[in-house]
Amino acid sequence: MVEVAGSVGGVLSPVLQVAQWLAAPIWRPFKYLYNYATNFKNLETEVDKLKNTRAEVERMIIAAKRNVEVIYKNVEKWQDSAQEMIDKAEQLIKEKEQFIREKANNPRCFKGLCSNFIIHYKQSRKAFKLKRDDIDPLLQQELGPISYQTNPPEIWLRSSENYLAFESRNSMVNNVWHALKDENVYMIGVYGMGGLGKTTLVQEAGRKANEEKIFDDIVFVEVSESPDVKKIQTTIAEKLGVEFKQESEMANKIYSRMKDKNILLILDNIWEPLEFEKTIGIPCGVDRGRNKLLFTTRNLDVLERMGSTNNFRMGILNEEEAWTLFTRMTGNIIQTRELHSLAKDVCKDCKGLPIVICTIAKTLKNKSQPSYWKCVLQELREPSPRKYTRYLEEDYAKIALSYKYLRDDELKKTFLISSLMKNNTSISDLFKHVVCLDVFDRANLTMEEARDRLDILVCDLKDACLLLDGFESSQFAMHDVVRVVAITIAYVDHHVFTTRNDERDWKDRDKLKKCTMISLLSENTIISQLCPNNLDCPNLEYLYITRTWDSSFEIREDIFTMMPKLRVLNLGGLWQSSLPSSIDSLTNLQTLCLHNSRVEDFAIIVKLKTIKVLSLQGLDIEEFSLQLGQLTQLRLLDLSWCRRLKVIAPNVISQLSKLEEFYIEGCPIKWKDGVFKELKLLSNLTSLKLDIEVNNVLPKDFVSKKLRRYKITIRGEYYEDPISKYSRILAFACNSTISQEELGGINDVEVLHIVKSSDDEKDLDEKQMLPLFNEKVIFTNLMALKLTNISFGKIWESQLSISCYQNLTQLILKKCDKIKYVFPFFIIKNLQQLQYLKITDCEVLEKIVQEDEGKEVVDSIFPRLTKLELRYLPKLNVFYLGVDALELPMLKELKILYCSNFTSTYQGFQENNKKGEVQVSESKAICLEHKVNSDLKAFHFEDDVVSITWESQSRTLETSVGSLSVKLLQKFYNLKVLKIVVID
């Protein structure tokens, strides 16, 4: 029975299972109908929960966005899904409620009841599934953090409508931009005096880099004059999203974040070198990847000490740019008739410095009354030394930081003394002012050592942008705003008086007693009117009074009686025949300068036993008398350009045994052998300048090894240096092949200028066959050679030791009418340093380089040549036939004027070979056509038909050609201004 029963059970089990499968679908509709109200109630409950949850998440999102945080994508997706489900549920609930209302208003029959069941079923089923499958999972989903912090684009990275692309800035922006894109460049520096707009410029470069996506990240850090390494690290870390728990981790974390990446790090306003890897954590070695560092600073030395070699100096705005900036800042108010001329004057007195222009312009914006403008103009023109101009107090204080952070007192003292002198003063004159003022740290320096030290200080001040270059390489200048700051510092800290001190100061005896320096440039009224009762200045060490070119001044006899500490006295342009008698009371005086004065009686000077520097440039003295030999402490004596000085008394110079520098150029002295011998006896002499008349020659071994600097001219010729300054210059006239004996055995000369002697008219045919230099003439350090009007047919002997000229950087030929070629082939291989070549008025010159008879080939000719000038060479027809194209890779200036046989075959100016136009030819004539383009700083081509001038700074091309060729214009792709001059 058990077994049967079991068998029956086994047979029926599948049947029951099938019944269950069939019963489930049958029961499901009844389940949805039965739970109709429950399903909708559950749906409404869950929808309310979802609404509340979504609202809470929305509040968190709003708060995060206000905090400039980024919302996670999964949160945004959840919010969208939740809203979608809420909308679906609310629509379903709305349909259900509408159905119930319609049903109540329109009762149906039994057939309608069937329809109601179907609708109830569908709605209940939707409600159930919407809750179970969509809403419940959303409510159960764990969202985690809503947002994360990020670094939003900084304000400066956004487009700046206030940035003005000035022409003087564009070249620098381009230089920085090219350096940023150069994979071989790692560090880039922009330097210049305070207030020029360096920060604005590098930010503009950063904006451009950001727009073009050449870096993955760009970070800007303000370093300031007191660098805080922790602050720098924190800023870099925050902007690169680096997190750290301990300060000790910062450098390693930053290093790891930046290693082998492509990040631009801009470090603004650096005052001292920074240790990148060790201290901050910025990779600089093999791990630096494509990262770049861009700096701004006021001091080139800071950049160089950090290893930055791509450094660009920023200058002031030109007058047009300054006016553009000024009008932009002030608005239309300056267009009124009453203010326009005043506005021009105010802008001009801002001296092109952007920080001053902007500050003054903002101050005067909307000020329509001329009195405001007049007041500002007066303060700009006549600033008080007591304090900074009230409108610019904050700006001037920023500029004063450059002085504060100079590394030592040597620089500070030199800077302040420089501010008391005129622009374009020679460094040599500055030397006379500082050498006896205890400016240098070391005592007992020789004059040569002190001069070298001053050269370094001036270079350092120029690198710090506190001094500027003068008109000539041997001069310096100072920006007017920097001078205002310097004179204010000098007055406040050191009681220095200048023309800016008003009548109250000069009449205040207490202030005068504290005064240490007085500088009165081009000012005479103060001495004659404000100080009639002596200058009671017991602490005065420095007195500098000079006249204007069209005025004169005199001083009282007893003016020096109350200046016991005076050490430096400069009375430039003193208009009286003798010095005040009170000068003998200056027992500490060490420097006396009387440039261009009318003083004739020097008897009283011999009483000044402490004098070390005596400068009498431009005086009308006729004889350097025996009495002056009593100044045995003299170390520098300058008698330059005393046009009437003809006699140096015997046994005077030999008494000046401590003399180290002696300058006597431009004086018509009748030299005697005895005086030359006295000069040779000056064992301490290191610097010498003198002119020798026609009948004199240098004694043998006249120039000793101790003579570090000299400029000697024989028979009336002197050298004018077109590029830079040199220390050892010899210029003379000759009428024969040069011998070392004639030059007094000199062989260490740096500059040699040779001119035809006035009596050089004999044996012209023979001289055309002789070289100017033979193999016996050796110049080991010759750097510049100038030949004028010589009668020789060639310059170098073919057997010459070419190593003598391997340092030659300049060669100038003028009116050498017998020379057919300049360089023999054998010498050009050793002229690798030549930078400047100028040849003018050589009538028979046919070629620059003579080709090699052995057909030897050279890889390059004059690879360092930067300036080439060829003028009035009617027979010149070729530069050098040995090359297909003359590369001259460093050429910056090219001038070719009236070389008709040379330029008649010049290629590229005209496409059509028409009469009267520059002809096209396949000749190798000039071999320079490919150099004529906008890479040249200056280009000037001119002959009887065509004149073409290019200036890269203004991007201006001026030509007399009637119809320009496209080929020519394409060479100057960045052309801005085109001027066409029509010639009748």
Side-chain angles (χ1 to χ4, degrees):
M1 292 290 294
V2 175
E3 292 179 4
V4 173
S7 297
V8 173
V11 173
L12 293 178
S13 180
V15 176
L16 291 174
Q17 186 174 358
V18 171
Q20 291 175 358
W21 291 344
L22 294 174
I26 296 172
W27 168 247
R28 202 171 293 129
F30 292 101
K31 181 181 69 173
Y32 290 133
L33 289 173
Y34 181 78
N35 293 324
Y36 178 79
T38 302
N39 287 342
F40 270 98
K41 185 176 180 181
N42 292 341
L43 176 64
E44 290 172 358
T45 300
E46 296 303 290
V47 167
D48 287 341
K49 290 181 182 178
L50 186 60
K51 284 181 179 180
N52 292 335
T53 303
R54 188 183 185 283
E56 181 61 28
V57 172
E58 183 67 23
R59 284 192 293 273
M60 295 169 67
I61 288 174
I62 292 172
K65 287 182 176 180
R66 286 175 179 171
N67 197 35
V68 200
E69 296 179 7
V70 178
I71 310 303
Y72 281 108
K73 292 294 184 182
N74 68 310
V75 175
E76 292 179 341
K77 186 177 179 180
W78 187 92
Q79 283 286 88
D80 293 340
S81 298
Q83 186 60 50
E84 182 183 354
M85 295 305 106
I86 290 170
D87 293 342
K88 283 185 178 182
E90 288 181 340
Q91 180 62 31
L92 184 60
I93 293 170
K94 182 178 179 181
E95 291 175 359
K96 170 227 174 188
E97 292 174 349
Q98 183 178 357
F99 174 73
I100 292 174
R101 287 196 299 272
E102 291 176 354
K103 176 181 172 183
N105 295 331
N106 299 293
R108 300 293 182 107
C109 61
F110 179 78
K111 291 181 179 179
L113 182 60
C114 181
S115 175
N116 291 342
F117 284 154
I118 294 173
I119 293 173
H120 274 221
Y121 163 75
K122 290 181 177 181
Q123 289 181 340
S124 180
R125 182 171 177 269
K126 286 182 179 180
F128 177 80
K129 288 193 172 185
L130 186 61
K131 171 189 174 296
R132 184 194 66 185
D133 298 339
D134 297 316
I135 295 178
D136 284 350
L138 286 174
L139 288 172
Q140 294 167 10
Q141 184 176 339
E142 293 289 340
L143 293 179
I146 296 295
S147 60
Y148 61 92
Q149 290 186 343
T150 187
N151 296 318
E154 297 185 65
I155 295 174
W156 68 269
L157 275 174
R158 301 168 188 170
S159 178
S160 175
E161 296 179 358
N162 295 324
Y163 180 77
L164 297 177
F166 293 122
E167 185 68 31
S168 63
R169 300 291 193 260
N170 287 343
S171 60
M172 179 168 287
V173 171
N174 290 335
N175 289 335
V176 172
W177 180 246
H178 291 319
L180 287 176
K181 296 177 72 175
D182 189 341
E183 293 184 358
N184 298 317
V185 174
Y186 176 53
M187 296 182 185
I188 307 159
V190 175
Y191 70 102
M193 63 179 285
L196 287 173
K198 300 182 293 295
T199 301
T200 303
L201 186 140
V202 297
Q203 287 182 339
E204 180 61 20
R207 269 192 293 271
K208 187 176 180 182
N210 185 57
E211 290 172 359
E212 300 200 12
K213 307 297 182 186
I214 66 172
F215 294 101
D216 297 330
D217 293 285
I218 299 177
V219 177
F220 181 90
V221 182
E222 167 66 30
V223 178
S224 78
E225 66 274 10
S226 301
D228 184 337
V229 173
K230 179 182 176 182
K231 182 180 178 182
I232 294 171
Q233 288 178 314
T234 302
T235 303
I236 295 172
E238 288 178 351
K239 293 179 180 180
L240 292 179
V242 176
E243 296 181 359
F244 50 86
K245 296 179 180 179
Q246 298 179 354
E247 290 184 15
S248 58
E249 297 178 348
M250 293 178 73
N252 290 333
K253 286 271 191 177
I254 291 173
Y255 191 97
S256 299
R257 173 67 175 84
M258 294 187 68
K259 178 182 177 182
D260 297 324
K261 296 298 190 301
N262 182 30
I263 298 169
L264 172 61
L265 179 57
I266 303 176
L267 297 169
D268 184 45
N269 198 18
I270 293 178
W271 291 79
E272 292 292 337
L274 299 173
E275 293 185 1
F276 298 114
E277 285 191 351
K278 182 178 179 181
T279 305
I280 301 176
I282 301 170
C284 294
V286 293
D287 293 337
R288 74 189 191 199
R290 295 172 59 196
N291 295 324
K292 289 189 186 294
L293 303 181
L294 176 56
F295 311 110
T296 71
T297 183
R298 301 187 188 187
N299 198 330
L300 175 62
D301 179 62
V302 173
L303 298 173
E304 292 177 340
R305 286 162 64 190
M306 290 189 298
S308 177
T309 56
N310 290 267
N311 305 316
F312 308 104
R313 181 165 185 163
M314 180 178 269
I316 62 174
L317 300 178
N318 61 41
E319 192 170 328
E320 180 181 350
E321 293 169 342
W323 179 245
T324 299
L325 177 59
F326 190 77
T327 54
R328 176 81 170 265
M329 302 297 294
T330 53
N332 295 328
I333 192 171
I334 63 172
Q335 301 302 327
T336 60
R337 182 175 57 85
E338 295 82 5
L339 294 181
H340 190 70
S341 61
L342 268 174
K344 284 277 189 181
D345 291 339
V346 170
C347 180
K348 186 176 181 180
D349 276 272
C350 291
K351 306 299 181 182
L353 195 59
I355 191 174
V356 176
I357 294 170
C358 292
T359 300
I360 293 297
K362 289 176 182 177
T363 299
L364 294 172
K365 188 174 184 179
N366 301 323
K367 296 291 191 298
S368 59
Q369 291 178 297
S371 56
Y372 281 105
W373 294 75
K374 291 178 181 178
C375 180
V376 170
L377 185 59
Q378 182 182 10
E379 289 204 27
L380 286 173
R381 288 181 173 176
E382 300 177 7
S384 167
R386 298 187 189 91
K387 59 182 180 180
Y388 300 131
T389 303
R390 55 180 173 172
Y391 304 107
L392 298 168
E393 184 174 358
E394 184 177 343
D395 301 323
Y396 282 7
K398 292 178 182 177
I399 295 172
L401 284 174
S402 295
Y403 168 83
K404 177 182 176 182
Y405 281 90
L406 289 174
R407 67 172 180 267
D408 53 40
D409 286 341
E410 276 188 317
L411 280 171
K412 291 180 178 179
K413 291 175 182 178
T414 304
F415 170 65
L416 293 181
I417 294 173
S418 299
S419 73
L420 305 179
M421 307 182 76
K422 296 178 180 178
N423 277 342
N424 302 304
T425 293
S426 71
I427 298 173
S428 180
D429 283 344
L430 175 63
F431 176 75
K432 295 170 186 175
H433 282 230
V434 303
V435 70
C436 296
L437 277 179
D438 292 334
V439 168
F440 307 116
D441 287 340
R442 287 180 56 195
N444 300 320
L445 291 174
T446 66
M447 300 299 275
E448 183 70 19
E449 291 170 340
R451 190 176 289 277
D452 289 341
R453 186 65 192 152
L454 179 63
D455 285 343
I456 292 173
L457 293 173
V458 170
C459 288
D460 288 348
L461 289 171
K462 287 182 177 181
D463 288 347
C465 301
L466 290 173
L467 288 185
L468 306 171
D469 291 330
F471 288 150
E472 299 178 8
S473 60
S474 60
Q475 297 175 334
F476 69 91
M478 184 179 290
H479 190 279
D480 288 350
V481 171
V482 175
R483 192 182 301 278
V484 169
V485 172
I487 289 176
T488 303
I489 293 171
Y491 175 79
V492 174
D493 295 350
H494 303 283
H495 311 289
V496 176
F497 275 47
T498 65
T499 52
R500 289 178 179 163
N501 290 84
D502 57 25
E503 186 175 344
R504 292 172 296 173
D505 290 331
W506 289 103
K507 291 185 176 182
D508 190 326
R509 290 189 172 274
D510 291 335
K511 288 184 178 179
L512 283 176
K513 286 182 178 180
K514 296 178 182 178
C515 180
T516 60
M517 294 185 179
I518 294 176
S519 175
L520 303 176
L521 304 182
S522 305
E523 180 63 45
N524 311 315
T525 58
I526 292 175
I527 294 298
S528 60
Q529 296 178 16
L530 297 182
C531 305
N533 300 318
N534 302 333
L535 282 171
D536 186 4
C537 302
N539 291 298
L540 191 68
E541 295 186 349
Y542 174 96
L543 178 59
Y544 182 20
I545 307 173
T546 184
R547 65 179 176 89
T548 59
W549 66 272
D550 60 347
S551 65
S552 61
F553 73 94
E554 297 184 4
I555 52 179
R556 292 168 53 91
E557 287 293 312
D558 55 358
I559 188 173
F560 302 121
T561 55
M562 308 296 286
M563 304 176 187
K565 292 184 179 180
L566 194 66
R567 304 176 74 178
V568 175
L569 175 61
N570 189 329
L571 301 174
L574 182 63
W575 216 255
Q576 56 198 63
S577 60
S578 61
L579 292 169
S581 58
S582 59
I583 197 170
D584 64 358
S585 65
L586 301 177
T587 56
N588 286 301
L589 191 67
Q590 297 185 34
T591 297
L592 176 61
C593 300
L594 300 171
H595 297 180
N596 303 310
S597 296
R598 290 289 183 89
V599 178
E600 298 175 359
D601 182 4
F602 293 95
I604 197 170
I605 292 182
V606 300
K607 297 182 179 181
L608 303 174
K609 302 300 184 182
T610 56
I611 286 287
K612 294 180 180 179
V613 175
L614 178 61
S615 187
L616 307 177
Q617 285 186 19
L619 268 66
D620 288 337
I621 57 175
E622 296 182 2
E623 180 180 1
F624 194 73
S625 65
L626 186 62
Q627 288 179 310
L628 295 175
Q630 299 179 38
L631 302 176
T632 56
Q633 297 301 311
L634 268 184
R635 297 169 66 185
L636 186 156
L637 176 60
D638 191 347
L639 302 173
S640 301
W641 312 111
C642 294
R643 303 290 187 179
R644 299 174 62 188
L645 180 59
K646 296 181 179 180
V647 177
I648 295 181
N651 302 317
V652 176
I653 294 179
S654 58
Q655 294 183 54
L656 308 177
S657 58
K658 293 186 177 181
L659 199 64
E660 298 178 43
E661 299 189 5
F662 186 30
Y663 306 114
I664 194 166
E665 62 180 325
C667 304
I669 296 174
K670 303 298 182 181
W671 289 98
K672 297 180 180 180
D673 291 341
V675 178
F676 279 131
K677 292 179 180 178
E678 288 186 60
L679 281 172
K680 287 185 64 176
L681 293 174
L682 298 177
S683 59
N684 294 310
L685 193 67
T686 58
S687 295
L688 174 67
K689 290 184 181 181
L690 79 161
D691 295 343
I692 301 175
E693 284 297 320
V694 175
N695 294 325
N696 294 104
V697 294
L698 287 177
K700 187 176 181 181
D701 299 327
F702 174 72
V703 177
S704 67
K705 292 182 179 180
K706 280 193 173 183
L707 205 57
R708 293 276 305 278
R709 307 167 191 261
Y710 59 80
K711 181 179 179 183
I712 302 172
T713 64
I714 306 173
R715 294 187 282 274
E717 284 295 326
Y718 66 96
Y719 177 77
E720 294 179 358
D721 176 22
I723 295 181
S724 58
K725 58 182 179 179
Y726 294 98
S727 297
R728 298 185 291 277
I729 301 171
L730 176 63
F732 66 98
C734 73
N735 56 14
S736 63
T737 296
I738 297 173
S739 65
Q740 211 88 46
E741 291 77 14
E742 185 180 10
L743 302 180
I746 298 176
N747 63 7
D748 66 342
V749 62
E750 293 178 346
V751 177
L752 187 61
H753 182 189
I754 304 175
V755 66
K756 174 184 176 182
S757 176
S758 59
D759 59 354
D760 188 10
E761 297 294 339
K762 301 177 182 179
D763 302 322
L764 291 181
D765 292 336
E766 180 182 348
K767 287 182 181 178
Q768 290 184 46
M769 304 299 294
L770 296 174
L772 180 62
F773 299 111
N774 61 28
E775 72 278 5
K776 296 180 181 179
V777 179
I778 300 174
F779 298 114
T780 55
N781 296 306
L782 188 65
M783 300 178 70
L785 174 63
K786 181 177 181 181
L787 306 177
T788 303
N789 200 25
I790 63 171
S791 301
F792 293 86
K794 54 184 177 179
I795 302 173
W796 287 281
E797 173 78 60
S798 59
Q799 301 301 318
L800 188 68
S801 174
I802 57 178
S803 61
C804 298
Y805 300 94
Q806 62 186 1
N807 295 318
L808 195 68
T809 60
Q810 300 179 33
L811 178 62
I812 302 171
L813 269 66
K814 183 177 181 181
K815 294 183 178 180
C816 298
D817 292 336
K818 306 302 178 183
I819 292 179
K820 290 187 177 182
Y821 64 88
V822 181
F823 303 101
F825 178 81
F826 74 87
I827 202 173
I828 63 170
K829 292 183 291 184
N830 281 69
L831 296 179
Q832 299 294 303
Q833 303 301 319
L834 192 68
Q835 299 174 20
Y836 179 84
L837 177 60
K838 179 179 180 180
I839 308 173
T840 65
D841 298 288
C842 297
E843 291 186 357
V844 302
L845 186 74
E846 297 178 0
K847 59 187 72 174
I848 307 299
V849 179
Q850 172 74 305
E851 60 271 16
D852 180 29
E853 295 180 359
K855 304 300 181 182
E856 182 181 352
V857 178
V858 293
D859 296 332
S860 64
I861 296 177
F862 312 140
R864 296 183 181 273
L865 195 70
T866 59
K867 184 173 182 179
L868 174 61
E869 189 170 341
L870 306 173
R871 295 173 178 257
Y872 301 101
L873 308 174
K875 292 191 176 182
L876 179 67
N877 57 59
V878 66
F879 196 102
Y880 173 51
L881 283 172
V883 292
D884 292 328
L886 195 62
E887 291 301 326
L888 304 182
M890 300 184 69
L891 191 67
K892 295 300 180 184
E893 296 183 43
L894 174 62
K895 293 183 181 180
I896 305 173
L897 308 179
Y898 295 96
C899 302
S900 55
N901 199 34
F902 187 54
T903 58
S904 62
T905 53
Y906 195 73
Q907 303 179 39
F909 290 144
Q910 295 290 335
E911 293 171 334
N912 300 318
N913 192 0
K914 297 178 180 179
K915 185 178 181 181
E917 296 177 346
V918 181
Q919 304 297 305
V920 176
S921 169
E922 295 301 322
S923 168
K924 295 180 180 178
I926 194 167
C927 299
L928 287 173
E929 178 198 353
H930 65 295
K931 300 304 300 182
V932 180
N933 54 51
S934 55
D935 290 338
L936 288 176
K937 289 184 177 180
F939 168 63
H940 188 189
F941 168 85
E942 187 172 349
D943 63 13
D944 294 328
V945 179
V946 177
S947 175
I948 299 175
T949 302
W950 162 254
E951 291 290 343
S952 66
Q953 186 170 3
S954 60
R955 292 190 290 175
T956 299
L957 181 67
E958 182 175 331
T959 177
S960 63
V961 180
S963 57
L964 288 172
S965 69
V966 174
K967 188 174 182 180
L968 173 62
L969 289 176
Q970 286 175 341
K971 291 174 177 290
F972 303 94
Y973 62 90
N974 60 350
L975 178 66
K976 182 178 180 181
V977 179
L978 176 62
K979 296 180 180 179
I980 300 178
V981 180
V982 179
I983 300 178
D984 295 334

